[in-house]
Amino acid sequence: MAENFRVMFAGLAQNTDQAHAISQLATKLKAPTAKVAAFFDNKPLFAPCEKEKALKQAKLLASVGVISKLQPVETSTASSTVASDNETSSQRDERIFNALDYITSSLIRIEEKLDDLEQRLSTTQQQANADEDEDWQNDDLLLDEELTTPIKKRSNVLLFSLIAMVVILLVLLGLSFAFPDLFSV
């Protein structure tokens, strides 16, 4: 990985006026004079770049009477990654907040619609109940049918067979107590 350098202000050449150098440099670079003036206060004018490009920038500055020095800049991908991660994180956070806002407003709209439907449904049910209440009073009672139905007789075969089985088992139990020798093997 190539090392990057930054061109920094070191001083002015002899017989060079700072205001004149600022105006000439601003004209050559087509940059605002405020940014060029900040360069004279040890603020960076150019972005960090490779050594060849930094030397060309220093040569340009020397042509207007500005003495400069090359300052090595540590190329830390971690710092650029952190900056981009912070930007990405802030953009992600903004998207998350926008999504949450959208979801919240959607939930509020759904809740309002449910309330409207509930009110409509309750009024509809009340009307239906009122109609039903009135209808049963208008119906004639059918008294022609018998009010009691005969009870169906079930087959008691199962019941009688269970009772017979229990009686036989009790008789066998009684015999086993009365005559223990009879059932011993």
Side-chain angles (χ1 to χ4, degrees):
M1 195 183 302
E3 190 174 0
N4 290 337
F5 292 90
R6 184 182 298 269
V7 179
M8 296 301 291
F9 176 72
L12 290 171
Q14 287 181 344
N15 301 328
T16 305
D17 181 35
Q18 183 174 352
H20 181 65
I22 290 173
S23 64
Q24 279 186 331
L25 193 56
T27 306
K28 281 190 176 188
L29 294 176
K30 297 179 184 174
T33 55
K35 185 173 182 178
V36 175
F39 174 71
F40 289 96
D41 294 329
N42 289 326
K43 303 274 184 185
L45 181 61
F46 304 106
C49 58
E50 295 179 7
K51 189 171 186 175
E52 292 176 11
K53 189 173 181 181
L55 288 173
K56 288 180 184 177
Q57 292 169 351
K59 194 182 278 187
L60 174 72
L61 291 172
S63 69
V64 293
V66 176
I67 301 171
S68 61
K69 62 181 177 180
L70 296 181
Q71 182 180 12
V73 177
E74 295 179 20
T75 55
S76 174
T77 57
S79 64
S80 65
T81 304
V82 168
S84 66
D85 284 348
N86 287 341
E87 290 175 16
T88 306
S89 176
S90 66
Q91 290 172 351
R92 185 184 70 230
D93 290 345
E94 185 176 339
R95 286 193 312 258
I96 289 172
F97 285 130
N98 289 340
L100 287 174
D101 185 39
Y102 177 76
I103 289 170
T104 304
S105 62
S106 296
L107 287 174
I108 290 170
R109 285 193 304 267
I110 289 171
E111 185 178 359
E112 289 171 354
K113 287 183 180 181
L114 283 174
D115 287 341
D116 289 343
L117 287 174
E118 190 175 84
Q119 289 175 356
R120 289 181 193 168
L121 183 63
S122 65
T123 56
T124 307
Q125 284 180 347
Q126 288 174 356
Q127 289 174 354
N129 287 341
D131 292 343
E132 287 177 9
D133 290 343
E134 293 172 6
D135 287 344
W136 77 267
Q137 292 175 353
N138 294 335
D139 289 342
D140 291 332
L141 292 176
L142 301 174
L143 295 178
D144 297 339
E145 297 178 16
E146 289 186 29
L147 296 178
T148 60
T149 56
I151 298 173
K152 295 180 181 176
K153 294 187 177 186
R154 288 185 251 165
S155 174
N156 292 333
V157 174
L158 181 64
L159 179 63
F160 290 135
S161 62
L162 285 175
I163 291 174
M165 183 77 84
V166 169
V167 169
I168 291 172
L169 287 174
L170 285 175
V171 169
L172 288 175
L173 184 63
L175 288 174
S176 69
F177 281 129
F179 302 106
D181 296 333
L182 184 66
F183 294 104
S184 64
V185 179

